[in-house]
Amino acid sequence: MPNLLAMSFEGELAPSFDLRCLAPGRTLPDGWGLGYYPGGEPSAVVLKEPAPPQGSIRSQLAKAWEHLEASLLVMHIRAAKWGAITDANTQPFNRSWGRRDWLLCHSGSLTKRPPDDRGLFEPVGSTDTEALFCNLLGRFAERGWKSLADVDLALLRDWLDVLDDDGGLTIALTDGRDLVVYADRDVEGSLYLGTIAPPYDRAVFGDDDLVLDLGARGTKSRKGVIVSSTPLAVVPDDDASVDGPEVASAAITWTQVPAGSLLAIRQGAVVAQHDPPAAGATPRASLVAPAVQTRLTIARATTARPRLFDVRHRTTYRYAKPIERSTHLLRLTPRDDRLQQVLDHALTISVPGQTVDFDDVFDNRVRRLHIDTPWTEMVLEARTRVRLADVAPLDFRALKSRSTIPLVWMPWQRQIMAPYLLPPELPESQLDELTEYAMSFVRRNDFDLLDTLLDINATIFKEYAYRQGSTTVFTTAFEVYANRRGVCQDFTNLFICLARLLGVPARYVCGYVYCGPRATSEAARANAVQSEASHAWVQLYLPEVGWKGFDPTNGILTQTEHIRVAVGRNYVDATPTSGTIYVGGGPEILEVDVRVDDLEP
């Protein structure tokens, strides 16, 4: 049975806590308590019970109360060592400071109470845990720290390390937005961290004493972190029918938190880890979320050297019956501007027809082709030599160190940007879910605009599977979010939808990406699959900065490996080739081959 349990998710869930330790014939705990923050408010609700009876009414609330919904929850099941078994001595403890409620749970027991020398906060009960809580909050108040975001986490770890000299000290401390956990320095296996990731239909974990069901009152596929003093196993579905629909159960991976380490968790991701100084001599795996680590890496991107590329884009259409008459729009000429210079371009078409070149409303170079000659095969081949220059993708940050969400646009700016601010037409319930998902990134990054966008870019790269053939051009952004798989077009559509829901103008970019030299073996060429077809990524308009490229498929910022061809509101506005067949046709065979060669390797 876990003595301490804390959970953080990227959005709100309505979990069920089945305290089986209160069943008839079981050894009853000395008390239990559950704290959470409904509606994401800074005010906490605490449900606790000292000396619970068998099958207690309060425990039924923890199991079935429909109002128990939050993205951050902490639970403690007590075996008393300090103080009487009363409400005042039952965890979690709650204190108000900095216009928010703080909760603390403590697993273990100190040999002596921390000193009551901070003045501002005084214990109500007689436990070592409440004295520890008051001591820590007093130190925060002395330094003017009104949230965990203000706290020097390295210094907090050092304080806890000193307090750890006086016995067992594994704690979970939260202010309603962040969760900080510390693993006892001397107790082996004192704290475990479990991660779950969508998609899943069912998420039930537990042991003989406690069962946690994350979807008992409506499953939502949420990414989350569960911290427990005891690892919880996946509980099998006893009601599953062999002949019934397949139910995807969430898997959970448990990792022991290094002794003496402190973790900071926000919106379902570990965002910081502070190990004891001695740990520096021994390399160990980081528990920080991979997407957070990737975001920090790409935030350090510098100016890339200029590149010169030759691009060949060959498209072949074949039909079973002759096409008598057809019209086509071709967007195969790369854009020419201060960062991308087209040195040479030629487009050949195997079937004769009437052509006219023009610039569309998105400033894409377009060729309109009208064919009256019957044909069954048409080959389009575009050859381009292009030079790419670059500026450091984040060089503007020094000019304007922080832009926050929500963005404020002048009326004329919003009018011009209107096509890039309107999210796709989806059911309102789906847009609500995607908005909540987008806001989890905002909250995780303290409302910073650029950090939020970098986090979305890195998360799609790390947590969504690139799987060819799993989607079509009709796959929606919500379906990509729900299934967590797709191709570059799908990841781009999802990023565009999330950005627009946050009020950030976003446009679809179609072009080419250089993925390295042409490999000779099939295995080595696996990573180059994107360079053998047109690629898609996102451009976001940042205030006083302009359009900046983000490639969620590769988790990078665009620099001198992305060749821009066409932009638009979506795929339809920027597709390389499209057309209408008026007479003839039948079954179609389409072959596309793209080759990008670096002339200055």
Side-chain angles (χ1 to χ4, degrees):
M1 175 173 64
N3 175 234
L4 181 152
L5 186 70
M7 301 183 291
S8 173
F9 296 94
E10 65 183 6
E12 291 194 349
L13 282 178
S16 167
F17 299 85
D18 185 0
L19 289 159
R20 296 184 176 180
C21 57
L22 303 185
R26 308 297 293 272
T27 301
L28 300 176
D30 294 316
W32 65 272
L34 172 65
Y36 63 100
Y37 296 82
E41 301 249 341
S43 176
V45 172
V46 178
L47 179 67
K48 59 184 178 180
E49 183 176 30
Q54 291 179 339
S56 76
I57 299 299
R58 292 190 203 179
S59 70
Q60 295 306 307
L61 289 177
K63 181 178 181 181
W65 193 26
E66 66 272 11
H67 297 296
L68 205 165
E69 184 174 13
S71 65
L72 201 159
L73 307 95
V74 293
M75 188 176 199
H76 187 270
I77 300 176
R78 184 187 184 202
K81 294 186 179 180
W82 281 80
I85 302 175
T86 64
D87 225 48
N89 290 332
T90 302
Q91 301 182 46
F93 293 113
N94 183 4
R95 284 290 188 280
S96 296
W97 165 246
R99 300 174 64 88
R100 61 181 64 243
D101 286 343
W102 299 63
L103 298 177
L104 181 135
C105 292
H106 172 206
S107 176
S109 181
L110 299 178
T111 56
K112 64 179 182 180
R113 289 166 57 93
D116 298 331
D117 58 355
R118 300 297 164 180
L120 187 60
F121 300 93
E122 296 182 1
V124 175
S126 56
T127 66
D128 57 332
T129 302
E130 193 177 12
L132 166 70
F133 193 16
C134 293
N135 183 283
L136 289 176
L137 283 184
R139 297 187 191 208
F140 294 172
E142 288 174 357
R143 289 159 177 79
W145 296 340
K146 295 187 175 183
S147 70
L148 282 173
D150 298 332
V151 172
D152 182 338
L153 295 179
L155 180 58
L156 174 59
R157 197 219 69 83
D158 292 343
W159 289 346
L160 295 172
D161 190 65
V162 173
L163 293 168
D164 202 0
D165 292 337
D166 296 322
L169 186 68
T170 293
I171 69 166
L173 173 66
T174 177
D175 63 355
R177 182 178 63 171
D178 293 330
L179 171 67
V180 167
V181 297
Y182 172 81
D184 189 276
R185 188 182 63 232
D186 304 315
V187 179
E188 185 69 24
S190 63
L191 198 62
Y192 294 85
L193 183 139
T195 56
I196 61 173
Y200 54 81
D201 301 314
R202 180 179 180 274
V204 184
F205 313 103
D207 56 20
D208 291 339
D209 296 310
L210 174 69
V211 173
L212 168 66
D213 187 344
L214 299 181
R217 292 185 292 278
T219 299
K220 290 184 179 179
S221 250
R222 302 287 197 205
K223 181 179 69 175
V225 171
I226 301 176
V227 181
S228 177
S229 54
T230 302
L232 301 176
V234 175
V235 177
D237 186 2
D238 296 333
D239 297 329
S241 171
V242 176
D243 300 324
E246 184 177 352
V247 176
S249 294
I252 187 165
T253 303
W254 291 99
T255 306
Q256 184 177 335
V257 178
S261 293
L262 181 142
L263 304 180
I265 303 165
R266 181 183 291 179
Q267 289 291 308
V270 179
V271 296
Q273 177 174 345
H274 294 271
D275 291 330
T282 305
R284 59 178 63 185
S286 173
L287 295 175
V288 176
V292 174
Q293 293 176 324
T294 302
R295 172 176 63 78
L296 297 174
T297 299
I298 61 180
R300 296 190 290 268
T302 57
T303 305
R305 66 179 178 86
R307 306 286 287 272
L308 182 65
F309 293 108
D310 267 349
V311 182
R312 189 200 69 184
H313 183 157
R314 183 184 177 92
T315 303
T316 303
Y317 289 96
R318 295 189 181 93
Y319 292 90
K321 298 179 181 179
I323 304 295
E324 301 292 339
R325 184 164 62 92
S326 60
T327 300
H328 307 265
L329 290 179
L330 311 177
R331 299 178 184 87
L332 296 169
T333 306
R335 298 170 74 87
D336 192 288
D337 53 40
R338 65 187 181 89
L339 296 179
Q340 180 171 289
Q341 182 182 8
V342 178
L343 303 178
D344 186 43
H345 175 76
L347 174 60
T348 59
I349 305 170
S350 64
V351 179
Q354 299 175 341
T355 63
V356 60
D357 291 350
F358 65 97
D359 295 330
D360 67 13
V361 294
F362 303 105
D363 201 31
N364 300 315
R365 191 66 175 169
V366 184
R367 176 166 295 184
R368 182 179 182 87
L369 171 65
H370 182 77
I371 303 176
D372 286 322
T373 305
W375 58 277
T376 56
E377 178 180 282
M378 180 169 64
V379 179
L380 310 170
E381 184 169 283
R383 290 181 175 269
T384 307
R385 177 163 295 183
V386 59
R387 182 181 296 278
L388 303 184
D390 183 50
V391 295
L394 304 181
D395 61 347
F396 58 87
R397 207 159 196 184
L399 302 176
K400 191 170 184 178
S401 59
R402 180 175 166 86
S403 292
T404 58
I405 294 174
L407 295 178
V408 177
W409 299 105
M410 292 300 173
W412 52 90
Q413 292 174 324
R414 180 168 288 277
Q415 184 176 15
I416 294 297
M417 289 294 180
Y420 306 115
L421 285 169
L422 187 66
E425 291 188 10
L426 293 171
E428 187 173 348
S429 59
Q430 295 184 5
L431 287 177
D432 285 342
E433 178 76 9
L434 288 169
T435 299
E436 189 175 353
Y437 181 52
M439 285 303 299
S440 71
F441 293 98
V442 175
R443 291 188 287 266
R444 184 183 302 149
N445 293 282
D446 196 25
F447 289 79
D448 184 89
L449 169 64
L450 187 57
D451 283 350
T452 296
L453 299 177
L454 292 174
D455 195 5
I456 294 174
N457 196 57
T459 297
I460 294 176
F461 169 61
K462 286 290 185 180
E463 299 179 6
Y464 288 68
Y466 185 92
R467 192 168 300 165
Q468 288 183 305
S470 62
T471 58
T472 69
V473 294
F474 303 107
T475 300
T476 68
F478 183 82
E479 290 170 334
V480 178
Y481 157 75
N483 297 318
R484 305 287 167 124
R485 63 176 182 266
V487 294
C488 61
Q489 175 182 302
D490 304 301
F491 303 150
T492 298
N493 288 334
L494 176 59
F495 199 163
I496 286 174
C497 181
L498 297 177
R500 291 178 181 175
L501 289 171
L502 295 176
V504 180
R507 68 185 185 186
Y508 189 102
V509 186
C510 190
Y512 315 110
V513 60
Y514 177 68
C515 295
R518 302 289 287 188
T520 55
S521 69
E522 195 65 30
R525 290 178 64 247
N527 291 333
V529 64
Q530 297 167 71
S531 65
E532 296 172 357
S534 59
H535 188 51
W537 60 94
V538 186
Q539 279 190 332
L540 305 174
Y541 191 85
L542 307 183
E544 301 179 23
V545 174
W547 293 105
K548 288 290 181 178
F550 294 74
D551 184 352
T553 306
N554 296 297
I556 59 177
L557 300 172
T558 63
Q559 292 189 266
T560 57
E561 294 181 339
H562 291 72
I563 302 166
R564 290 170 286 119
V565 176
V567 302
R569 298 163 300 171
N570 47 43
Y571 169 78
V572 174
D573 295 334
T575 182
T577 60
S578 61
T580 301
I581 298 172
Y582 296 102
V583 181
E588 176 188 89
I589 297 176
L590 172 64
E591 296 175 0
V592 179
D593 180 57
V594 174
R595 176 163 183 160
V596 182
D597 292 316
D598 187 0
L599 301 183
E600 296 178 354

